[in-house]
Amino acid sequence: MTAIEQTEARPRGTRLPRRARRNQLLGAAQEVFVAQGYHAAAMDDIAERAGVSKPVLYQHFPGKLDLYLALLDQHCDALLAAVREALASTSDNKLRVAATIEAYFAYVENKGGAFRLVFESDLTNEPAVAERVERVSLESAKAVSEVIAEDTDLPPEEAMLLAVGMCGMAQITARYWLSSGQQVPRDAAAKLISSLSWRGIAGFPLHGSNQQD
């Protein structure tokens, strides 16, 4: 997945192409929102961090919520892309499970703390934020459920329930792992959760077989 690079404050007046400026502003906003939360963050802080005037910031983003939502969209899309990439990386289901769990651990550990905007936002009472968080969770689970439904005799609604459980476990354990000080190396932590997930999902037989190895 791609992440916005952390931004060093630039001298005011530095000219950048529009796309580069937008990315710079998003990077500065990410740092401020992650550090302070939405409510405590101010556009003044973000402009200062980016090394631009407030009018320049408002040229790209009409308000603080617009800026936050643009950042949230980017990082929700990054998580969904990582899950889909993990599922497409192999046709071996055991390895698919491992790759999907690893995608969540990598996302949570990613420099910049973007996952906090998605899973630990202080703005979940805002409908536009809640909709995006719910969408990325459900679409990630849907991608997993499609693989489960294709490979087993489970109906779609049961496959979706299993997928929600798997993705939820991956997300919550990855966040706990990070907040508890990463006492277990990431590879080992992801492997533990992958093993737990695989032992559960492997109990459902493949199409045309009585059991799954």
Side-chain angles (χ1 to χ4, degrees), residues 72-197:
L72 190 60
D73 281 338
Q74 186 170 57
H75 291 298
C76 284
D77 289 347
L79 175 58
L80 183 56
V83 170
R84 287 173 171 165
E85 182 179 349
L87 293 169
S89 65
T90 177
S91 59
D92 183 304
N93 286 332
K94 186 174 183 179
L95 295 179
R96 273 178 172 158
V97 169
T100 302
I101 300 298
E102 168 61 22
Y104 277 90
F105 274 80
Y107 182 77
V108 165
E109 191 187 34
N110 194 41
K111 184 178 180 181
F115 81 94
R116 299 188 189 282
L117 304 178
V118 180
F119 296 123
E120 299 175 4
S121 174
D122 61 344
L123 196 62
T124 52
N125 61 334
E126 166 60 45
V129 172
E131 185 277 329
R132 284 162 169 80
V133 173
E134 182 177 14
R135 176 181 59 82
V136 71
S137 296
L138 290 178
E139 288 191 12
S140 296
K142 183 179 179 182
V144 174
S145 76
E146 289 171 354
V147 174
I148 295 173
E150 286 173 2
D151 289 347
T152 69
D153 292 316
L154 293 173
E157 59 272 17
E158 291 185 14
M160 184 63 176
L161 192 61
L162 287 173
V164 169
M166 182 184 296
C167 292
M169 179 172 65
Q171 180 250 119
I172 291 171
T173 53
R175 287 168 52 205
Y176 169 78
W177 165 80
L178 187 69
S179 67
S180 63
Q182 301 169 274
Q183 299 176 40
V184 179
R186 189 179 99 185
D187 288 349
K191 186 175 180 180
L192 278 172
I193 304 306
S194 298
S195 178
L196 177 61
S197 297

